[in-house]
Amino acid sequence: MTFSVTRFRSLIVAALLILLSAGVVVFSIYLVGLDHEVRARFAGARWALPAQVYSAPLELYPGQNLDADTLRHELERLGYRSMAEPDGPGTFEITRDQALINTRDFKFWDGEQAALKLSLRLAPAGITGVNDATTGKPMDIVRLDPLLIGSIYPQQGEDRVLVKLSDVPPMLTKGLVAVEDRSFYSHYGVSPKAIFRAAFANLRAGHVVQGGSTLTQQLVKNFFLNSAQTWDRKFKEVFMALLLEAHYSKDEIMEAYLNEVHLGQDGNRAVHGFGLGAQFYFNKPLNELRSHEIALLVGLVKGPSFYNPRRNEARAKARRDLVLQIFRDEGLIDDNEYKSAIERPLGLAGKGGGVDRYPAFVDLVKRQLKGQYQESDLTNDGLRIFTTLDPRTQEALEKEITDGLPQLEQQRRMKPDTLEAAGVVTSVDGGEVLALVGSRETRFPGFNRALDSRRSIGSLAKPFLYLTALSRPQQYNLHTILPDEPIQLTLPNKDVWEPHNYDKQLHGPQPLYMALAQSYNLPTVALGLQIGPPAVMETLHAAGYTGDAAAVPSIFLGAVDIAPVEVAQMYATLAASGYQSPLSAIREVETKEGQPLSRYPIKVKQTLPEGPVYLTTWAMRHVMTLGTARSVYNVISPDVVLAGKTGTTDELRDSWFAGFGADRVAVVWVGRDDYKPMGLTGASGALQIWTKVMHDINVRGLDVTPPADVVEQLTDPVTGLRADEGCTGAISVPYMQGYAPNDAAPCAKSASPVDSAVDWLKGIFK
Amino acid sequence: MKQGIKLAILALAVVAAGCQTVHGRRETNQPPSAPPVSRPLPAAPSGTPAPVIVPESQSPQAMPLPPPKALPNYPKSADEISGGAVLSLLRQAQAARSAGRYDQAAAALERAQRIEPRNYFVWSSLAGTYLLQKNYDQAISVAQKASSLARGNVYVEQENWRVIRDARSASGDIDGAALAQSRIDAIQQLLQSAAPATP
């Protein structure tokens, strides 16, 4: 019996020992596995980093047309703080005739712009001097840091802007430790004391009021594990935290935490890390945050949705003030600072501030990158993308569209939100897209009409038809008389096409330029039939049309569906005297370390003949001065020479205006998504918005110097023949050299054989 | 006889060009005080017109003999028409070019171009930079655009023709390079025989 008992005992002990050893072995294997996982995922690139998209930087230089108010607005958009005595990067002070700006440093791909203390002299006309305020040295030109306008993150994805621990204000890390994990710098990953304290507090309260998780555990939970609250997950969390602490320093863990933490939600996009948090809530870099702003972010860690400052302002403020109290108790701020900090409002940047401001433009950027970069390159590699977006121009275009549509709806007694619109502004020489709006909801990344809404362009096609004719100077000039008579055309399918003028009237024979200025359809079709649809189609393509519409007579009146951005390309080719630059939204792409990846240099190719383009532009100037768009000079000074064209389609379904000055091309479309008529012509709809945009951006007037192969000659408006001072109402008309009318008009006094060098030249050629 | 006529034409053209107002900056609103009648075009061949007319068709072999009276006072260097910011960027570009950093040079010139979009010295320098980058197509196109903006400024045109000549010969277009050279020769003869207007 004894024997058997002893034997039984030793058996149990043996079994237990075996079990224990087996347990140790299994547990060791488990730990080794965990250890491997921790090290593998924590080494190297820890996060998929969305590409960051920047606007064009603002350049400051003497002579720049930037008044005090505009400068203030530009700096505030960049998140610069106005203060009586600028202190630290991102601060400024503007008085009537002077500005002091402490700029931020920024690493551009072609060199670093160091942080500077700048002193600017301001006059109503703009900046008259830029000096280094420290040395007093005059400076030729300074770039400010560009605006972060968005990022390219995966669907349902995490977005973040990485920060280095060395760039993080100590108040943030110390405050975070004080609020979330007091023993962070002494524990080994878990804090039994904290767990007991939390358990005790929770018991006393009867529900969960405290979490016992250390920052390390929180990091493990967010970084390695899913959010399921199970026992084995909790178990795993503890051991992973211990392993993490065994392998990595407190600073490394802190830096990872600062970048991992979830701080908010913006639609599908999750805002992670304090770097993006600072941008998302305050539109500033992290190192420029003040105590109350840091306190808000630290407070958000506990529950970014519960304390969402944009939804629950009072709750967020209470939490912030509690955090500020801890900051004071810890000696991070003194009592004075505490008292003034709790008086401050939350100070949030506008809705969606700092990020994702311009979804339509970023959409264009993505499409331009497509083909060159994989989707995952853009969402994972933290690329820095420098774009051509000009925030000032974008703001003007957005404002005039969002203000203009309700006005048009009211005037025409339409229901609100009936109309939609799209707009594009580009530079003339260089083809940079400066602004793009794809919807009246400019912050909503929906249907991008600027890129995807291909609509009939109506009379916007006419300049290309007239250009085709004017490229045949032996047959046509600006004063060629065109018939304004009814036309019936039997099409190949036996349909009869019978175009009309917009006003259903006949106006008698018209000089070519006047037919374009007044947008008469019948003279246009008559001219088109003479030169033929294929020649017109060739010009449309040369200007930048990429579609495959058939070359049939209806294209004379613009029965071609084209997206606004492509219309902008076509008009930009005209604006650049025929020297086409393919539109681009990007200047440079670099890696997150700052290595250049691709550059998008200016490209130029002459695709349209310069002289005839000049003549066409001359006719388009008359659209503005005496034609369908003359209302433009009610708003813009008549000294500013502009050229453009109205576009109106059948039954007023589309209202277009496209035109340019010396430095800017703009295209605006207004219409309905359901293609129903809306009662607006190009002039009564799109032109109204276009005019205000061009006014807001101070468009420069066209240079009216003709190119070398164009001559100007006084012309008798009645006969189109050569006029002189004897003719009343004679106008100076440009002609291709060698093709100005030779015969004197009846009104001309002179009939002398050699009265101009041009005549004499032609005598020789005959 | 034919040659004589051509010479006469060119002389006349230069005289007529003398009437032309030189606009340094291109963004003016003032109309030109006189129509420019420089560079006569021979009659274009009639028939179907090509939609793209490249200025190449102008007679390149014309050579001036009779000394013309005066050449317009065209700006010879960027200093005469550029603001301080653009000059500074032009200097940066020059320094980058000398150091062989052509991308940097092009970037500085693009910044300058955004400030003064029609400054033909900037475009001309960009053409030269593209040539150094062995981007011959763009060097030629940008040089042509620079000449277009220069509106008859022979100094800038001469520089642009040099770029075009070198780009063409580097890309194997021997005839085109010779044509460009003949334009340079013509301009040089013009410059030698023309006493510039009093500065």
Side-chain angles (χ1 to χ4, degrees):
Chain A
M1 191 65 189
T2 328
F3 169 78
S4 65
V5 168
T6 323
R7 194 183 158 88
F8 185 65
R9 257 196 210 145
S10 48
L11 263 177
I12 287 178
V13 169
L16 278 174
L17 273 176
I18 290 168
L19 257 176
L20 193 64
S21 326
V24 167
V25 168
V26 168
F27 184 67
S28 306
I29 292 171
Y30 173 76
L31 273 188
V32 167
L34 274 191
D35 189 57
H36 183 75
E37 192 181 339
V38 164
R39 285 199 293 177
R41 292 221 21 225
F42 211 69
R46 287 172 197 159
W47 296 280
L49 288 179
Q52 291 173 19
V53 185
Y54 293 95
S55 77
L58 179 68
E59 308 252 17
L60 301 175
Y61 53 90
Q64 195 195 16
N65 175 12
L66 196 69
D67 60 32
D69 287 344
T70 315
L71 178 62
R72 172 183 299 279
H73 187 67
E74 289 287 308
L75 291 169
E76 281 171 352
R77 192 196 291 108
L78 282 172
Y80 278 53
R81 194 151 51 90
S82 174
M83 55 198 293
E85 274 169 43
D87 181 28
T91 56
F92 71 97
E93 184 197 12
I94 295 181
T95 55
R96 203 172 47 81
D97 54 2
Q98 211 203 4
L100 289 171
I101 308 173
N102 286 352
T103 69
R104 299 174 182 140
D105 71 326
F106 191 84
K107 204 164 168 293
F108 290 95
W109 77 274
D110 57 346
E112 181 157 356
Q113 177 71 62
L116 289 168
K117 287 179 195 288
L118 288 183
S119 151
L120 271 59
R121 280 191 308 283
L122 302 172
I127 299 173
T128 56
V130 178
N131 288 74
D132 183 323
T134 316
T135 63
K137 224 180 72 182
M139 308 198 69
D140 293 319
I141 183 164
V142 177
R143 271 186 287 197
L144 292 185
D145 50 313
L147 185 66
L148 181 64
I149 59 169
S151 46
I152 301 177
Y153 50 90
Q155 289 287 317
Q156 306 280 347
E158 297 183 0
D159 194 7
R160 58 168 52 76
V161 172
L162 279 197
V163 292
K164 288 201 192 83
L165 190 62
S166 52
D167 297 333
V168 174
M171 188 193 291
L172 173 57
T173 44
K174 287 182 182 156
L176 193 63
V177 167
V179 173
E180 290 290 323
D181 182 7
R182 287 176 177 280
S183 59
F184 174 71
Y185 287 104
S186 53
H187 63 59
Y188 296 99
V190 290
S191 168
K193 224 164 81 185
I195 291 169
F196 284 123
R197 196 172 52 221
F200 185 65
N202 293 348
L203 267 178
R204 252 192 6 188
H207 61 273
V208 180
V209 293
Q210 265 190 30
S213 287
T214 63
L215 288 178
T216 318
Q217 281 171 284
Q218 291 180 33
L219 172 63
V220 164
K221 190 164 76 182
N222 295 325
F223 187 77
F224 295 101
L225 306 170
N226 61 40
S227 57
Q229 287 279 1
T230 59
W231 277 109
D232 63 323
R233 206 206 60 119
K234 192 76 194 163
F235 187 74
K236 205 171 170 186
E237 176 189 306
V238 167
F239 283 100
M240 276 186 146
L242 292 168
L243 287 167
L244 202 59
E245 292 271 353
H247 288 299
Y248 298 96
S249 71
K250 289 287 182 187
D251 281 354
E252 282 170 298
I253 290 166
M254 175 57 87
E255 185 174 284
Y257 182 91
L258 293 169
N259 285 308
E260 171 58 43
V261 66
H262 181 228
L263 288 177
Q265 196 70 28
D266 177 31
N268 286 338
R269 167 165 162 270
V271 176
H272 282 262
F274 283 94
L276 183 61
Q279 290 286 349
F280 181 67
Y281 290 110
F282 302 112
N283 184 29
K284 283 195 273 203
L286 189 53
N287 58 15
E288 288 177 24
L289 297 190
R290 295 192 290 160
S291 57
H292 65 290
E293 295 161 336
I294 291 176
L296 181 76
L297 293 185
V298 168
L300 277 176
V301 168
K302 196 175 171 197
S305 149
F306 186 76
Y307 294 108
N308 183 342
R310 291 204 172 97
R311 289 245 179 85
N312 304 306
E313 201 184 324
R315 199 186 281 164
K317 184 165 184 306
R319 174 75 186 155
R320 180 199 75 175
D321 293 350
L322 179 73
V323 171
L324 281 167
Q325 207 179 312
I326 301 176
F327 281 14
R328 182 196 55 186
D329 297 347
E330 291 293 312
L332 296 175
I333 52 176
D334 61 25
D335 202 49
N336 285 339
E337 173 64 13
Y338 168 72
K339 280 177 183 151
S340 64
I342 57 171
E343 291 305 317
R344 287 179 206 138
L346 293 180
L348 299 173
K351 176 86 184 86
V355 272
D356 263 359
R357 295 169 189 247
Y358 311 119
F361 184 87
V362 174
D363 185 20
L364 176 65
V365 170
K366 279 194 235 176
R367 292 193 210 192
Q368 194 181 336
L369 291 170
K370 209 168 245 175
Q372 212 182 344
Y373 293 92
Q374 303 285 328
E375 180 81 20
S376 59
D377 298 338
L378 299 177
T379 56
N380 296 358
D381 292 352
L383 301 182
R384 285 149 49 93
I385 300 167
F386 296 94
T387 74
T388 58
L389 181 108
D390 179 51
R392 226 180 340 157
T393 307
Q394 177 73 24
E395 189 176 271
L397 183 62
E398 287 182 0
K399 176 180 181 296
E400 300 307 350
I401 283 178
T402 48
D403 291 359
L405 292 187
Q407 282 173 19
L408 292 172
E409 284 161 349
Q410 233 170 7
Q411 281 166 21
R412 304 279 155 159
R413 301 210 166 75
M414 281 179 247
K415 270 192 273 178
D417 299 326
T418 305
L419 295 175
E420 260 301 349
V424 184
V425 181
T426 78
S427 69
V428 166
D429 302 288
E432 295 197 327
V433 180
L434 305 173
L436 187 113
V437 169
S439 156
R440 65 190 291 168
E441 299 291 332
T442 56
R443 298 280 169 275
F444 180 69
F447 183 44
N448 194 340
R449 288 163 195 80
L451 308 184
D452 294 328
S453 176
R454 286 174 193 82
R455 306 277 295 230
S456 181
I457 60 168
S459 303
L460 293 192
K462 285 178 184 165
F464 304 99
L465 183 155
Y466 285 83
L467 169 59
T468 315
L470 291 166
S471 304
R472 306 176 181 184
Q474 64 280 23
Q475 286 171 274
Y476 302 102
N477 61 47
L478 284 165
H479 214 287
T480 301
I481 302 299
L482 301 174
D484 188 19
E485 289 161 13
I487 293 175
Q488 276 197 341
L489 196 67
T490 309
L491 302 173
N493 64 1
K494 303 283 186 261
D495 281 357
V496 175
W497 187 47
E498 199 177 348
H500 297 283
N501 286 329
Y502 172 71
D503 58 5
K504 302 280 198 292
Q505 306 285 312
L506 299 176
H507 314 87
Q510 295 291 322
L512 186 144
Y513 80 94
M514 191 62 84
L516 181 64
Q518 302 296 359
S519 202
Y520 294 143
N521 288 339
L522 293 174
T524 304
V525 173
L527 179 61
L529 290 172
Q530 288 173 28
I531 55 182
V536 176
M537 185 52 80
E538 206 175 332
T539 305
L540 287 169
H541 280 300
Y545 169 58
T546 59
D548 55 0
V552 293
S554 62
I555 65 167
F556 302 152
L557 301 182
V560 190
D561 298 341
I562 308 183
V565 69
E566 193 159 298
V567 173
Q569 172 74 77
M570 296 165 70
Y571 273 71
T573 309
L574 292 179
S577 306
Y579 289 87
Q580 183 176 77
S581 291
L583 290 188
S584 171
I586 307 170
R587 290 179 184 168
E588 285 98 20
V589 177
E590 61 175 34
T591 65
K592 67 172 184 290
E593 290 82 18
Q595 290 303 309
L597 277 182
S598 9
R599 237 175 78 66
Y600 297 80
I602 290 182
K603 282 196 190 129
V604 172
K605 185 171 194 281
Q606 191 181 13
T607 64
L608 294 171
E610 185 169 6
V613 167
Y614 181 84
L615 303 190
T616 308
T617 306
W618 189 86
M620 291 165 72
R621 278 155 51 188
H622 288 79
V623 172
M624 320 301 280
T625 52
L626 51 79
T628 53
R630 55 190 180 279
S631 76
V632 76
Y633 288 121
N634 298 340
V635 176
I636 294 177
S637 159
D639 298 341
V640 181
V641 180
L642 299 171
K645 187 69 197 79
T646 48
T648 310
T649 59
D650 284 351
E651 300 178 61
L652 310 182
R653 292 169 201 276
D654 301 275
S655 164
W656 287 95
F657 196 82
F660 47 87
D663 57 344
R664 298 290 179 259
V665 181
V667 176
V668 173
W669 169 86
V670 175
R672 292 177 57 141
D673 279 349
D674 58 12
Y675 286 83
K676 284 191 180 143
M678 38 96 207
L680 293 169
T681 62
S684 61
L687 173 64
Q688 303 305 311
I689 293 170
W690 186 93
T691 301
K692 287 181 187 154
V693 172
M694 286 305 215
H695 176 261
D696 293 351
I697 64 176
N698 284 323
V699 63
R700 296 188 214 180
L702 286 168
D703 174 13
V704 296
T705 316
D709 55 350
V710 169
V711 295
E712 288 186 338
Q713 179 170 298
L714 270 186
T715 303
D716 171 28
V718 183
T719 59
L721 297 175
R722 184 166 53 81
D724 63 17
E725 60 277 14
C727 300
T728 46
I731 49 173
S732 177
V733 176
Y735 297 92
M736 293 306 292
Q737 188 153 48
Y739 296 99
N742 200 18
D743 297 335
C747 56
K749 285 185 296 187
S750 61
S752 67
V754 184
D755 53 5
S756 80
V758 177
D759 279 5
W760 189 71
L761 268 177
K762 272 188 295 193
I764 293 173
F765 278 117
K766 271 180 185 165
Chain B
M1 182 56 201
K2 211 175 161 192
Q3 185 70 2
I5 293 173
K6 278 179 185 156
L7 294 178
I9 294 168
L10 202 112
L12 188 82
V14 172
V15 173
C19 313
Q20 196 178 340
T21 313
V22 179
H23 289 266
R25 300 213 186 226
R26 311 311 302 177
E27 290 87 18
T28 51
N29 299 323
Q30 288 78 35
S33 55
V37 199
S38 60
R39 291 199 295 177
L41 258 177
S46 53
T48 48
V52 178
I53 300 173
V54 179
E56 206 62 12
S57 55
Q58 295 157 10
S59 63
Q61 66 275 50
M63 280 184 292
L65 271 188
K69 278 182 200 151
L71 204 58
N73 217 345
Y74 290 120
K76 284 183 186 152
S77 78
D79 307 32
E80 296 174 49
I81 65 160
S82 315
V86 165
L87 286 176
S88 167
L89 290 166
L90 279 168
R91 282 194 298 272
Q92 275 182 34
Q94 189 51 49
R97 256 165 79 154
S98 310
R101 290 179 289 123
Y102 303 136
D103 269 0
Q104 228 90 351
L109 293 169
E110 286 176 10
R111 280 175 78 189
Q113 179 273 330
R114 285 180 206 117
I115 294 169
E116 294 178 12
R118 295 168 76 82
N119 185 324
Y120 42 81
F121 286 104
V122 172
W123 284 98
S124 197
S125 184
L126 186 61
T129 306
Y130 281 152
L131 178 66
L132 291 169
Q133 290 178 307
K134 301 191 165 50
N135 185 352
Y136 300 125
D137 272 4
Q138 281 306 306
I140 293 168
S141 283
V142 171
Q144 285 167 344
K145 180 174 174 106
S147 287
S148 155
L149 291 171
R151 287 289 195 267
N153 182 329
V154 284
Y155 307 110
V156 177
E157 280 183 6
Q158 176 171 243
E159 181 53 35
N160 292 335
W161 279 117
R162 284 196 186 117
V163 169
I164 293 171
R165 176 197 61 199
D166 293 352
R168 281 178 180 164
S169 80
S171 50
D173 177 6
I174 304 305
D175 293 348
L179 202 65
Q181 182 58 52
S182 69
R183 300 301 299 256
I184 296 167
D185 295 345
I187 290 172
Q188 271 176 352
Q189 292 207 16
L190 182 76
L191 290 175
Q192 277 162 18
S193 52
T198 44

